Amino acid sequence: MTWQTLANQLFPGGHDIAEHDNFLSGSGQVDGQTVAVIGTTEHVPIGIEIALAQAQAILQIVQRHPGRPILILVDTQGQRLRHRDEMLGINSYMAHLGKCVDLARRRGHAVIGLVYDQALSGGFITSGLIASACYALPQATIRVMGLPAMARITKVPEERLTELARDNPVFAPGPENYLRMGGLHAIWADDLANRLAGALASADPADGRMALGQDRGGRLLAQPVAEAVRTGGHVRPA
């Protein structure tokens, strides 16, 4: 789905979202409410320019429109793998973007992520995945790393990783597996405007992803380990 088609379905009441060098920004009207929108398109890798553009847009929203909900539209192949970006400290730029999203959440902005095409690695972590809640369309492609690349890095045969992916969602791509792990709150298959309105109404600044992953059977130890760290207790085997 193109971002233009998506925007029209999300905001039947109208929007002024524009694209510049694969960076999306603007606002839309849903359920009588103005929603600020930032995002990416064309599977663009997140380099220092887009990371800064997104961070600047979020800070401007916090400053100029206190409390306005923010929707992050995600379509990225991950962080840009270039020597220039690495030498300039792309990790710091992406950390800055993540901090800006966190600031908006702490200042009372409901921040919703929506993966409408691709979502890979660090480009996803510091955008949709760090939002108050993240959702995806059924056809979205979500993964941390492709299994062939994972096999090269871990030295575990790809055939073995494929076997593990059948039962363990951590190894497997796709929105259904991220839903099971709690990374996604839901998959939106229809009526996107009402889905967005409902997500904004139920947005919670508290991070409940670990609890979701435990309840759905996709991440059984994250919540117990975090609780043990907070309380100084012990982790009970799943």
Side-chain angles (χ1 to χ4, degrees):
M1 180 183 294
T2 66
W3 73 262
Q4 295 93 336
T5 300
L6 175 68
N8 290 335
Q9 292 187 25
L10 286 169
F11 304 109
H15 68 84
D16 60 5
I17 302 169
E19 179 266 333
H20 179 69
D21 291 337
N22 302 130
F23 171 61
L24 304 174
S25 62
S27 62
Q29 300 291 322
V30 61
D31 200 24
Q33 183 175 208
T34 300
V35 179
V37 180
I38 66 169
T40 51
T41 187
E42 298 293 337
H43 315 331
V44 65
I46 306 299
I48 60 173
E49 295 85 3
I50 284 187
L52 278 179
Q54 291 188 95
Q56 181 182 40
I58 291 171
L59 292 178
Q60 288 177 345
I61 294 164
V62 171
Q63 181 180 38
R64 300 174 184 175
H65 307 288
R68 176 173 290 183
I70 301 172
L71 174 65
I72 303 175
L73 300 179
V74 182
D75 176 19
T76 175
Q77 59 183 273
Q79 69 188 65
R80 189 163 61 195
L81 302 176
R82 288 185 184 173
H83 181 71
R84 169 181 175 270
D85 290 82
E86 295 293 337
M87 292 300 294
L88 289 172
I90 181 63
N91 58 311
S92 296
Y93 287 85
M94 298 185 77
H96 173 62
L97 171 57
K99 290 176 182 178
C100 291
V101 175
D102 182 62
L103 172 67
R105 292 174 58 183
R106 292 173 185 268
R107 292 288 183 88
H109 296 258
V111 184
I112 302 298
L114 176 60
V115 182
Y116 70 98
D117 202 314
Q118 282 193 10
L120 277 68
S121 68
F124 178 37
I125 293 170
T126 54
S127 56
L129 203 56
I130 202 174
S132 306
C134 189
Y135 301 85
L137 300 187
Q139 66 271 24
T141 299
I142 307 176
R143 64 176 182 267
V144 173
M145 184 182 291
L147 293 184
M150 192 182 297
R152 290 195 298 271
I153 296 297
T154 64
K155 308 304 181 185
V156 176
E158 185 178 344
E159 294 77 14
R160 177 56 178 155
L161 292 176
T162 301
E163 292 175 5
L164 291 171
R166 295 191 182 103
D167 299 317
N168 192 327
V170 173
F171 291 92
E176 295 82 5
N177 289 297
Y178 277 78
L179 180 71
R180 185 180 168 195
M181 289 189 290
L184 296 178
H185 281 60
I187 297 173
W188 293 352
D190 53 18
D191 202 353
L192 299 186
N194 281 336
R195 295 278 191 172
L196 176 58
L200 293 172
S202 62
D204 188 343
D207 191 341
R209 276 171 271 245
M210 289 185 295
L212 284 176
Q214 185 179 34
D215 291 343
R216 296 168 180 172
R219 293 179 71 201
L220 299 179
L221 289 178
Q223 179 72 9
V225 168
E227 187 63 27
V229 171
R230 283 194 293 266
T231 63
H234 299 283
V235 179
R236 296 181 179 180

